[in-house]
Amino acid sequence: MIRTKCEVLSNRATGVYRSLTLVAPDIAEVARPGQFVEIGVPEDRTFMLRRPFSIHQASRRGGWAGTLEIVFDLVGPGTQWLAEAKQHDVLDVIGPIGRSFQQRDELSRCVLVGGGYGAAPLYFLSDELRLAGKEAHLIVGARNHERVFKPIEGKRAGDSFTITTEDGTLGETGRVIDVVPAIIERTAADVVYACGPNPMLRAVAELCLARGVPCQVAVEEMMACGLGVCWTCVVPYLSADGRSWWNVRACTEGPVFNGARIWWDQWLGAGLDQTEPPPAELADNEAAGRALAEEGEAEPGFDADEDPLRLGVEALEARKG
């Protein structure tokens, strides 16, 4: 994790969103898809907390080498202030933060699912996957054509590119989850990566669990510090046997998790008492994979030695039998 002063290279509109490019060679060199940065606000502002932003691109080569690009929507005073940043302004940035999307050599047919500007880190991920010789099939959805994230860039980023809009103004009519099953089948997908609103992530994760396909999700959660200190961004995470759970932090243990290990009912409010253990049927989550992990400290139940993206097909078949 690096704290540095970053010069604003450009700040421009991209559809209804804003795209901010920063000169940040140290962060760009080590950033990975799924990670984020925290940007500090001026001291004279009434809001004090840093703002977290997913990394859309980290350029290490070519004319944009040493730069980071983030994309955001105007949703409050923090993003409104950032939208007014001018070229050559200097921002206080910490990053890269969090766990990134993980790859395995034998999982080569990848489906990437994004909603709104939540799709931003998936373009970075798609570039990395294709550099590794893997297939990357992108699905991007939004409420309407104005909110589809960078459709022209998306066509260049993947081996295939599917758009959905809820009002039918661009691509197929409906939500991304409506087309995911057919694309998983058509591509014979080995793994699914998703980023976007949490209800969408839940739908994708549950679909993948039912089909026995590994799934990684980059969650969206409110963060105060973004550094693992305040514990405001916790996600209920199941043990490998599905019979216990822990609160893990989206900013440090995440934001990327194995979708089969998140206790969605508890997290998104199904009315379960937090003191209750998970229902017995949640033990089947063990068959859908191991926790995402990387070197470093881990919370209880988040085993850093577990194999990322490992799908226990034999265990899944045994349970079905």
Side-chain angles (χ1 to χ4, degrees):
M1 187 186 306
I2 300 164
R3 181 175 180 179
T4 184
K5 300 293 185 180
C6 299
E7 181 184 354
V8 175
L9 187 62
S10 69
N11 190 353
R12 55 189 172 81
T14 176
V16 298
Y17 308 119
R18 299 292 303 183
S19 171
L20 180 72
T21 301
L22 302 171
V23 179
D26 292 340
I27 297 177
E29 182 63 30
V30 295
R32 296 294 180 264
Q35 293 183 304
F36 64 97
V37 296
E38 288 264 338
I39 298 180
V41 300
E43 294 181 357
D44 60 349
R45 296 282 171 170
T46 56
F47 48 92
M48 299 180 293
L49 298 176
R50 290 176 174 270
R51 296 302 195 263
F53 298 96
S54 295
I55 298 172
H56 169 47
Q57 292 288 356
S59 299
R60 307 181 186 98
R61 301 173 290 278
W64 293 92
T67 62
L68 286 178
E69 184 180 356
I70 64 171
V71 177
F72 58 94
D73 201 0
L74 300 181
V75 294
T79 48
Q80 183 61 54
W81 161 77
L82 195 60
E84 297 169 359
K86 297 178 175 57
Q87 190 176 30
H88 305 307
D89 283 354
V90 176
L91 302 179
D92 183 358
V93 180
I94 298 176
I97 304 172
R99 294 177 184 270
S100 62
F101 289 107
Q102 303 293 305
Q103 299 183 37
R104 285 184 60 83
D105 291 342
E106 67 270 26
L107 302 180
S108 60
R109 296 182 297 273
C110 312
V111 170
L112 286 60
V113 185
Y117 71 97
L122 297 181
Y123 290 38
F124 183 14
L125 174 61
S126 181
D127 290 343
E128 296 285 298
L129 292 170
R130 297 179 83 190
L131 281 173
K134 302 176 185 293
E135 296 177 17
H137 302 275
L138 276 74
I139 310 170
V140 173
R143 293 198 301 271
N144 54 53
H145 74 281
E146 293 180 335
R147 304 194 72 81
V148 174
F149 183 73
K150 291 191 175 183
I152 295 176
E153 183 175 323
K155 290 181 179 179
R156 296 194 297 261
D159 292 279
S160 69
F161 185 62
T162 303
I163 296 173
T164 67
T165 50
E166 294 178 27
D167 65 358
T169 51
L170 186 64
E172 301 188 30
T173 302
R175 300 173 183 267
V176 288
I177 194 63
D178 297 331
V179 302
V180 171
I183 293 176
I184 288 177
E185 185 172 347
R186 173 173 60 82
T187 61
D190 298 314
V191 59
V192 173
Y193 302 93
C195 186
N198 290 331
M200 183 207 83
L201 299 182
R202 176 179 187 168
V204 172
E206 291 178 345
L207 171 69
C208 290
L209 177 60
R211 288 175 171 259
V213 178
C215 175
Q216 293 186 43
V217 297
V219 303
E220 294 185 348
E221 184 56 281
M222 296 296 293
M223 297 179 184
C225 71
L227 302 174
V229 177
C230 68
W231 287 83
T232 61
C233 62
V234 295
V235 177
Y237 202 71
L238 294 164
S239 60
D241 64 7
R243 299 185 184 280
S244 58
W245 63 282
W246 295 263
N247 279 325
V248 294
R249 297 161 294 186
C251 64
T252 51
E253 284 77 57
V256 175
F257 295 106
N258 183 333
R261 295 280 299 276
I262 295 174
W263 188 6
W264 297 100
D265 283 345
Q266 177 67 30
W267 187 33
L268 300 186
L272 296 176
D273 184 353
Q274 197 169 9
T275 62
E276 294 180 358
E281 59 267 22
L282 291 182
D284 285 342
N285 283 276
E286 180 184 10
R290 299 295 184 181
L292 303 176
E294 62 182 29
E295 296 296 326
E297 295 182 4
E299 292 303 306
F302 203 93
D303 188 349
D305 294 326
E306 287 186 320
D307 190 9
L309 272 181
R310 183 64 177 264
L311 180 67
V313 176
E314 298 84 356
L316 182 62
E317 292 303 319
R319 291 181 188 276
K320 288 180 178 179

